[in-house]
Amino acid sequence: MLCLDMRLVQRLRGERTDNASSRDRSKSVCVTSFRSKPPRDVSALKLFHRRASSAISTASDLISRRGVFSRRYYGSVEQLQQAEGDGQELCRRFRLENGESPGEKDEMFGSPSTPVLENPEYQTRWYFKYFLGKLHQNYVGFDSDKTPFFLSIVLNEDTNQCVPLYRAILFRKTGAQKISLPYAHNKLLTVKHILSNFPYFEKVEKGPKEIFTPDIQKDLLLLEEQEGSVNFKFGVIYMRQGQITDDEILSNEFGSLQFNKFLSLLGEKIQLRGWDKYRGGLDVKGDMTGRHSVYTIYEGHEIMFHVSTLLPYSRDNKQQVERKRHIGNDIVNIVFVDDVDGKGLNVFNPTCIKSQFTHIFAVINLDKNNRYRLSVFSDEAVPLFGPSLPCPPVFEHAEVFRDFLLIKLINGEKATFETPTFAKKRKRTLDLLIKDLYTEHMTDSRMTMLNRRAFSDVLAETPRHSRMKEDSRQIEFVRIGQALKLEAIVRGDAPTSLASAGSAGTVFKRSPWEANCFYPVFPATTIFASDSWSDNRLVTATDEGVYLVEDGNSHRLLFDKTLQVRQVNVVEPHGILLLRAGQSNKESKVYVFRLSQLEIIFEPMSRIDVKDHRLERTRGAHLYSLSRPGGSRLRMAVAIGKKLILFQWKHSAAWTAWCPSSDTDTIEGFNLLWEINLNEIPNLMTILDNGWTPNSPSHSDILVCVGYKNHWDIVNGRSGYAHHLHTVRGDRVNLITALDLYEDQEVQLLLCYNHTCHFQKINEENTKSTEYDFHWNFVPSDIVCVFPYVIGFTSNVMEIRLIVNGNLVHSMTMPNLQLIASKNDIFFSTTAPEFFPGRSDRLDVDCKLLEQKHSPPSPNNSPEARPLRIYKIPLHALNKNNSNDQCTSNEIPTWNNGDTKLTVPEQPRVSRSATSSPIPPSKVKLATVK
């Protein structure tokens, strides 16, 4: 076994002679090292079944953990028996998506969201994108378990956006972890501090050592490539009506006209002999695997389809072994059912294809109206992946269907690599590779300087007498990295390529998160708080006062800067505005105003003018929280030191809507419900209108989730009971928020801290489970959940993930980024330019009109400073299908998935190739540990 593993390591490290085999190394590794046949004797077979069943339970648990959002859109789980060749029955369970399950039929949130690639390579392959070909530092060390690890650190200075960031990758046998930390000129980071920011990484006893040899770049690139291939191979099976076994299905020598039409939709029919691009394991020299195949490129991914009717056919071999050899080793298979009545979709059973390697079946039918219908079978062990199917899963337009199908298949194969079977094999491979690399670099004669640097002087300034030698080493380091990057691009394995193939009818997606400029030049430099008012207005608290801002038209000062406002909430169902303002926390109070009163304000009010609007018992309030919008009652929790007070508006939202003229209260509209003393000063609060407590299961109880320094509690002031919810271990703990995600009385919280998002039900006894946590690449300061997305904001990055599986779908870099409101639509401010890539319109503003408003001169008018702009992401674009908004290639495509930051078109885009100058920038400086 050891010899076999070492040969596997050598094969992975690039010791190949055939260029074609090198092109398909990721796929060949999958077939060779991941395939395993279960034992045939009865006792061993039972043991195999027990181990398999114990490993395959994540999908059902995940569906339960993520709540009704997952069950609604990702179908049911049905148990199906798969017969082995010797008659034994192997239990396999499949999750079925067909748009007809009760959850899928419930169109509570409208149609599914726009199809997007999950964990796109151009954003997840950090080492290739941000490190390779640039000067960076690499380290090797041991963790607390005496297991070697590699650490890479780079300082990226984004010249377009002026957003310098530390990016770090930690390579361990469990996979690669990525984090980004802000860069400050007056606070340099140590390697020890960077390591402490990685989730679940315990302290190291001995500091890591720096590796100076430039060849380490090739090894680290190899470690990153173990995440999966950039290119894909999918099986395509032609099935006639009435066929029920794989022997019958794979014995179809030719396909129908409908099937050929479908193949032409998938891609281009190519000749295999002499093919010089991605071959997907097919023979390109002697026609041993057929003469033709189907190939395409989709958003930078080369895809080769193993078409059953194009693979070699044998009239004498009923089992069609040559076809099974390729189809059975594909993780994802497309099954085209030739049945215009659509009955074949209901009789297809994934267990008829005897393959332990295939985990996903996409069953397709073209009806008599030329509409495609789709259903998807996924092995239960495969984590949830999108996009979810529409209800009904019928596609009128062929190009829209192709776009949806290819994204579904790519996401499905990526998700399959997270199953226990593949994850275990990948972990073993990474473990062997890392140990082998550690042994090589620690004993290499070229590493004579490796042990000279103590941990206390990591990355110290280079002495003058060795400056020229150090500069030469850095230039050589960058040159080799750029050569490796160029080689990967020529080879077709560059994860940053976004080239797409297609004709003039290529469909361009409108990205769901595309932002519109709401206000191009805002008259302040700092925004403390904001909230939306109707569809086109914002109430914004700044360092210059509180403004009422209307969509691109005007801004008006409501309160001058003598009233220092730190929280703002517009409660439209009751027609009131809430403010928390004061010179300090001891002087801070909650104020209540009628929205109708603000409509007629022509001169800004000062601190003296608002005394009558102070809510009693709120002096010293440092925090308040409101109940979720749309609730029957408006409730407000106010924290004053360790004291927690809960107020309730005396009128219901329905009563206010019925008698709006009678609801004219301000501070007298709030009634005190209860007041309790906490053990600590709260930092976060979330009101839960319905919930569970051991002493009182009544749904009339009002629960408050309170976040302290390093833990959350559920507090019920009516009963005086406090239930401990979750504790965060560690020295550096930063609680961010607790989002209420419950639906249909299923109370669930998304607890966010540091880099982590943790799902927690308030009635769960086991509060330590972190199996379903997901992690950000950045530490967010604010988080917004808009199904199916959860969006994290930092001071310079917006990161968008899926709520059901935590997968990354997009990230954008913008300077001085800040979330300012998310009640109706998502509003954020940034000093990013007023242009979007591909947009022909410029966002202009009448500067003379701005000067006439009641506001001081804007510091943004300085030519040295970029103006502060407010952008809006409409919520309906995030949670609804935008297929009707798609356009053809003769139109100007909007900001698509490939654009990772807001840039000015006149400025050159950052090159993704290896053609930049080999002269390195200044070296990353980290602080020393004293």
Side-chain angles (χ1 to χ4, degrees):
M1 180 61 71
L2 179 61
C3 294
L4 176 62
D5 290 337
M6 291 308 298
R7 287 197 300 270
L8 174 62
V9 170
Q10 292 173 359
R11 184 166 64 254
L12 287 172
R13 298 199 63 193
E15 299 175 7
R16 306 173 185 86
T17 58
D18 181 66
N19 183 49
S21 63
S22 175
R23 301 254 332 188
D24 297 304
R25 63 187 178 279
S26 297
K27 293 303 179 183
S28 62
V29 169
C30 294
V31 174
T32 303
S33 60
F34 291 161
R35 290 188 65 194
S36 60
K37 295 182 179 180
R40 291 302 182 184
D41 60 278
V42 177
S43 60
L45 186 61
K46 291 181 179 178
L47 177 61
F48 175 80
H49 290 171
R50 287 198 298 268
R51 291 178 178 175
S53 61
S54 63
I56 302 176
S57 61
T58 56
S60 298
D61 295 340
L62 180 59
I63 290 176
S64 175
R65 166 74 60 168
R66 299 291 164 89
V68 297
F69 299 117
S70 301
R71 294 196 300 272
R72 187 182 312 278
Y73 287 105
Y74 291 92
S76 60
V77 177
E78 299 181 359
Q79 181 171 329
L80 301 173
Q81 303 290 333
Q82 176 163 358
E84 288 292 293
D86 56 2
Q88 296 288 342
E89 293 288 330
L90 176 62
C91 177
R92 286 193 74 178
R93 290 164 58 90
F94 284 87
R95 182 173 65 250
L96 172 61
E97 294 180 67
N98 58 5
E100 295 180 355
S101 65
E104 292 174 294
K105 287 185 176 181
D106 188 352
E107 291 299 302
M108 186 172 184
F109 298 95
S111 57
S113 56
T114 302
V116 294
L117 288 176
E118 301 174 16
N119 293 328
E121 281 74 9
Y122 63 87
Q123 294 201 5
T124 57
R125 301 292 180 89
W126 275 24
Y127 192 79
F128 183 94
K129 182 177 181 180
Y130 298 111
F131 292 73
L132 198 61
K134 300 177 183 178
L135 189 64
H136 62 277
Q137 283 75 52
N138 300 295
Y139 300 87
V140 61
F142 275 108
D143 60 17
S144 58
D145 296 330
K146 305 300 181 181
T147 303
F149 67 84
F150 287 86
L151 174 69
S152 298
I153 305 171
V154 69
L155 175 62
N156 287 127
E157 295 214 20
D158 192 328
T159 55
N160 282 343
Q161 300 296 345
C162 300
V163 182
L165 297 170
Y166 282 112
R167 298 184 190 267
I169 307 176
L170 182 64
F171 294 99
R172 307 173 73 183
K173 66 179 182 181
T174 54
Q177 292 178 274
K178 311 174 189 69
I179 62 170
S180 179
L181 301 172
Y183 171 79
H185 294 280
N186 57 350
K187 184 180 180 181
L188 300 179
L189 301 180
T190 65
V191 176
K192 183 177 180 181
H193 181 271
I194 291 176
L195 282 173
S196 67
N197 281 274
F198 283 96
Y200 310 138
F201 188 81
E202 300 179 1
K203 296 180 179 179
V204 292
E205 298 179 359
K206 189 176 181 181
K209 302 296 183 179
E210 184 177 1
I211 303 174
F212 294 96
T213 172
D215 291 339
I216 185 63
Q217 298 175 92
K218 180 179 180 181
D219 299 326
L220 297 180
L221 181 62
L222 173 65
L223 292 180
E224 184 175 66
E225 288 177 346
Q226 300 313 303
E227 296 181 15
S229 175
V230 175
N231 304 319
F232 297 89
K233 56 187 183 71
F234 300 134
V236 182
I237 304 172
Y238 175 67
M239 175 181 174
R240 296 184 187 276
Q241 185 175 2
Q243 295 179 334
I244 58 175
T245 67
D246 56 354
D247 290 345
E248 295 174 338
I249 297 173
L250 294 178
S251 294
N252 293 318
E253 187 174 0
F254 304 102
S256 64
L257 293 177
Q258 287 185 327
F259 180 64
N260 293 332
K261 179 180 179 180
F262 171 67
L263 291 180
S264 63
L265 177 66
L266 286 181
E268 174 189 2
K269 188 175 182 179
I270 55 97
Q271 183 175 345
L272 287 175
R273 184 185 291 269
W275 181 253
D276 60 348
K277 297 180 181 179
Y278 175 69
R279 63 188 184 95
L282 299 178
D283 176 57
V284 295
K285 296 180 179 179
D287 294 335
M288 299 298 293
T289 57
R291 295 183 178 181
H292 299 89
S293 188
V294 177
Y295 167 89
T296 191
I297 299 178
Y298 184 79
E299 295 203 8
H301 298 287
E302 292 184 79
I303 303 175
M304 181 65 75
F305 296 95
H306 293 163
V307 183
S308 62
T309 56
L310 296 179
L311 291 170
Y313 170 76
S314 174
R315 297 182 182 275
D316 299 328
N317 188 344
K318 295 183 179 180
Q319 294 184 348
Q320 303 298 331
V321 176
E322 184 62 27
R323 291 181 172 182
K324 287 183 179 180
R325 186 169 71 88
H326 294 281
I327 298 293
N329 282 321
D330 289 332
I331 296 176
V332 178
N333 274 320
I334 301 172
V335 181
F336 184 90
V337 181
D338 196 358
D339 177 19
V340 294
D341 297 329
K343 297 180 179 178
L345 293 176
N346 299 325
V347 299
F348 174 79
N349 190 325
T351 59
C352 70
I353 307 295
K354 300 182 181 65
S355 169
Q356 291 301 308
F357 202 75
T358 302
H359 283 64
I360 296 171
F361 294 92
V363 188
I364 297 171
N365 168 253
L366 182 63
D367 64 18
K368 55 187 177 182
N369 296 321
N370 288 325
R371 299 181 307 173
Y372 286 97
R373 187 178 185 91
L374 174 67
S375 61
V376 179
F377 290 90
S378 304
D379 190 285
E380 183 197 28
V382 179
L384 300 176
F385 62 94
S388 57
L389 268 64
C391 180
V394 176
F395 297 83
E396 300 281 351
H397 304 286
E399 288 293 338
V400 173
F401 171 68
R402 178 183 186 271
D403 187 65
F404 184 97
L405 177 64
L406 293 180
I407 290 178
K408 186 73 172 178
L409 300 183
I410 293 174
N411 291 343
E413 179 155 328
K414 291 179 184 178
T416 303
F417 280 100
E418 301 302 321
T419 58
T421 301
F422 286 95
K424 183 179 179 180
K425 301 296 183 181
R426 185 176 66 249
K427 181 178 178 181
R428 189 184 70 177
T429 302
L430 284 173
D431 190 22
L432 291 171
L433 280 172
I434 291 175
K435 288 180 179 178
D436 180 61
L437 294 178
Y438 175 82
T439 302
E440 176 184 334
H441 289 288
M442 290 300 290
T443 58
D444 196 333
S445 60
R446 295 171 297 177
M447 301 298 295
T448 54
M449 293 185 59
L450 181 65
N451 295 317
R452 289 188 180 182
R453 286 194 178 187
F455 187 56
S456 58
D457 45 63
V458 168
L459 294 183
E461 288 291 336
T462 306
R464 289 180 178 269
H465 63 271
S466 60
R467 176 69 67 182
M468 293 183 62
K469 182 178 180 180
E470 178 69 10
D471 289 344
S472 299
R473 185 194 69 82
Q474 293 179 3
I475 293 175
E476 179 68 7
F477 187 93
V478 173
R479 185 191 67 80
I480 291 180
Q482 291 183 349
L484 289 171
K485 177 173 284 191
L486 180 60
E487 179 186 352
I489 294 173
V490 174
R491 190 170 67 230
D493 291 334
T496 53
S497 174
L498 293 176
S500 298
S503 60
T506 300
V507 174
F508 290 93
K509 297 190 303 294
R510 178 185 177 92
S511 297
W513 41 80
E514 180 177 341
N516 305 316
C517 188
F518 181 81
Y519 207 75
V521 181
F522 192 68
T525 58
T526 304
I527 297 178
F528 297 116
S530 184
D531 197 12
S532 58
W533 182 359
S534 69
D535 295 332
N536 61 344
R537 291 193 285 186
L538 283 176
V539 178
T540 305
T542 71
D543 53 345
E544 300 293 341
V546 179
Y547 291 95
L548 176 62
V549 183
E550 296 195 18
D551 187 359
N553 296 321
S554 64
H555 60 272
R556 177 161 54 94
L557 192 63
L558 300 178
F559 305 95
D560 63 26
K561 60 182 179 181
T562 60
L563 187 68
Q564 298 184 5
V565 177
R566 293 298 181 267
Q567 274 187 269
V568 175
N569 283 95
V570 178
V571 188
E572 294 182 70
H574 300 283
I576 58 175
L577 171 72
L578 299 176
L579 304 175
R580 181 176 64 84
Q583 300 291 336
S584 63
N585 284 341
K586 292 184 179 180
E587 299 295 327
S588 182
K589 307 175 187 66
V590 177
Y591 297 83
V592 186
F593 300 88
R594 300 300 307 184
L595 293 178
S596 57
Q597 180 184 2
L598 303 180
E599 295 277 12
I600 59 176
I601 291 180
F602 297 101
E603 293 295 331
M605 291 187 288
S606 66
R607 179 184 176 188
I608 300 176
D609 300 328
V610 299
K611 289 184 177 180
D612 295 338
H613 294 268
R614 293 179 298 189
L615 183 62
E616 294 185 5
R617 307 175 69 95
T618 61
R619 182 182 179 86
H622 69 275
L623 178 68
Y624 77 80
S625 176
L626 299 180
S627 56
R628 58 188 298 166
S632 59
R633 289 282 184 175
L634 171 64
R635 299 182 176 95
M636 177 171 61
V638 180
I640 306 174
K642 295 183 179 180
K643 183 169 60 176
L644 181 62
I645 306 175
L646 187 71
F647 295 93
Q648 178 173 286
W649 191 254
K650 64 181 181 180
H651 302 301
S652 67
W655 187 90
T656 302
W658 186 260
C659 306
S661 59
S662 302
D663 190 358
T664 59
D665 297 321
T666 54
I667 56 176
E668 64 275 8
F670 280 105
N671 296 326
L672 176 66
L673 291 185
W674 44 259
E675 176 182 328
I676 60 173
N677 291 320
L678 306 174
N679 295 326
E680 301 179 45
I681 298 176
N683 297 324
L684 301 169
M685 293 187 301
T686 301
I687 298 179
L688 313 176
D689 287 335
N690 296 309
W692 171 91
T693 62
N695 298 332
S696 177
S698 172
H699 291 285
S700 62
D701 286 336
I702 304 171
L703 307 181
V704 182
C705 178
V706 182
Y708 301 99
K709 183 178 180 180
N710 66 341
H711 69 280
W712 283 274
D713 287 346
I714 297 293
V715 176
N716 187 340
R718 204 184 293 270
S719 63
Y721 177 81
H723 169 60
H724 177 68
L725 190 64
H726 186 71
T727 299
V728 182
R729 307 294 180 184
D731 299 330
R732 296 184 178 91
V733 178
N734 176 29
L735 302 189
I736 301 170
T737 187
L739 297 179
D740 179 13
L741 300 181
Y742 73 79
E743 187 65 37
D744 297 338
Q745 310 305 324
E746 184 178 0
V747 183
Q748 184 173 233
L749 289 169
L750 181 62
L751 306 180
C752 305
Y753 58 91
N754 297 349
H755 289 86
T756 304
C757 278
H758 172 73
F759 289 86
Q760 182 69 55
K761 295 182 180 179
I762 67 172
N763 58 352
E764 233 174 10
E765 295 182 0
N766 181 15
T767 61
K768 298 181 181 180
S769 174
T770 59
E771 184 179 359
Y772 307 104
D773 294 356
F774 66 86
H775 306 287
W776 305 92
N777 292 330
F778 308 83
V779 178
S781 55
D782 296 284
I783 292 177
V784 177
C785 182
V786 182
F787 185 81
Y789 305 104
V790 56
I791 307 175
F793 291 83
T794 72
S795 60
N796 44 40
V797 175
M798 181 192 304
E799 189 172 327
I800 307 173
R801 293 180 176 269
L802 294 179
I803 189 67
V804 295
N805 53 24
N807 286 344
L808 175 69
V809 295
H810 198 69
S811 62
M812 292 175 282
T813 303
M814 288 172 279
N816 302 317
L817 176 66
Q818 181 185 359
L819 172 70
I820 59 177
S822 60
K823 181 183 64 181
N824 295 330
D825 297 316
I826 297 178
F827 294 87
F828 62 89
S829 61
T830 177
T831 54
E834 67 272 32
F835 291 93
F836 288 95
R839 293 282 292 271
S840 59
D841 56 324
R842 178 180 176 134
L843 301 170
D844 296 320
V845 65
D846 190 346
C847 296
K848 296 182 179 180
L849 178 64
L850 296 178
E851 295 174 357
Q852 296 174 359
K853 302 299 175 183
H854 299 285
S855 64
S858 173
N860 294 318
N861 294 331
S862 171
E864 292 81 10
R866 290 185 176 182
L868 187 66
R869 308 185 190 280
I870 299 177
Y871 290 92
K872 179 177 75 170
I873 303 177
L875 290 190
H876 68 82
L878 290 170
N879 55 29
K880 287 186 180 295
N881 194 336
N882 291 328
S883 59
N884 293 331
D885 297 335
Q886 295 173 343
C887 61
T888 56
S889 58
N890 57 353
E891 297 174 347
I892 299 177
T894 56
W895 177 14
N896 60 26
N897 291 337
D899 299 311
T900 57
K901 44 188 174 288
L902 304 174
T903 58
V904 180
E906 287 79 0
Q907 296 179 351
R909 299 286 299 274
V910 177
S911 174
R912 299 188 178 189
S913 65
T915 57
S916 58
S917 172
I919 304 299
S922 59
K923 189 173 184 179
V924 180
K925 296 182 180 180
L926 304 182
T928 58
V929 179
K930 299 181 180 179

